[in-house]
Amino acid sequence: MFTKHTVYKHDNFNMLTVEVQGKTLVVREISDQWGEVCHKFLSRPQLMDWAEKRFLPIDFPDGEEGLRLTMEKLKEI
């Protein structure tokens, strides 16, 4: 059985989810600009490394606070 986590959902077109499929973490980025992009990670440190490089405060409607909350939710997965 897979566990699905919604990391953020700004609206129906901008969201990030993570599915835990055994040892594999499947990240789905859905945006109004790029559509759906899927990433697969074999470890949580690999996921966090990607997230630290991928996200900036300007990517979130509430800036630094949105980035901080997103990173906290990713760490909890």
Side-chain angles (χ1 to χ4, degrees), residues 2 4 9 19 26 34 38 42 45 49 59 62 66 70 72:
F2 302 139
K4 184 175 181 178
K9 183 173 181 175
E19 288 179 16
V26 179
W34 306 106
C38 184
L42 299 178
D49 183 58
D59 296 327
D62 48 355
T70 296
E72 282 180 12

Side-chain angles (χ1 to χ4, degrees), residues 7-31:
V7 178
Y8 67 76
K9 183 173 181 175
H10 301 304
D11 53 38
N12 287 335
F13 303 105
N14 295 285
M15 65 182 78
L16 182 76
T17 63
V18 178
E19 288 179 16
V20 179
Q21 301 177 356
K23 293 183 178 182
T24 304
L25 301 162
V26 179
V27 176
R28 297 185 197 285
E29 281 187 280
I30 301 169
S31 75

Side-chain angles (χ1 to χ4, degrees), residues 20 22-23 25 42-49 74-75 77:
V20 179
K23 293 183 178 182
L25 301 162
L42 299 178
S43 69
R44 283 170 175 76
Q46 187 182 27
L47 167 65
M48 293 308 298
D49 183 58
L74 286 170
K75 286 177 186 173
I77 295 174

Side-chain angles (χ1 to χ4, degrees), residues 34-59:
W34 306 106
E36 182 175 325
V37 179
C38 184
H39 309 276
K40 290 186 180 182
F41 301 99
L42 299 178
S43 69
R44 283 170 175 76
Q46 187 182 27
L47 167 65
M48 293 308 298
D49 183 58
W50 168 81
E52 289 168 3
K53 293 174 183 172
R54 164 65 181 88
F55 296 114
L56 299 171
I58 61 171
D59 296 327

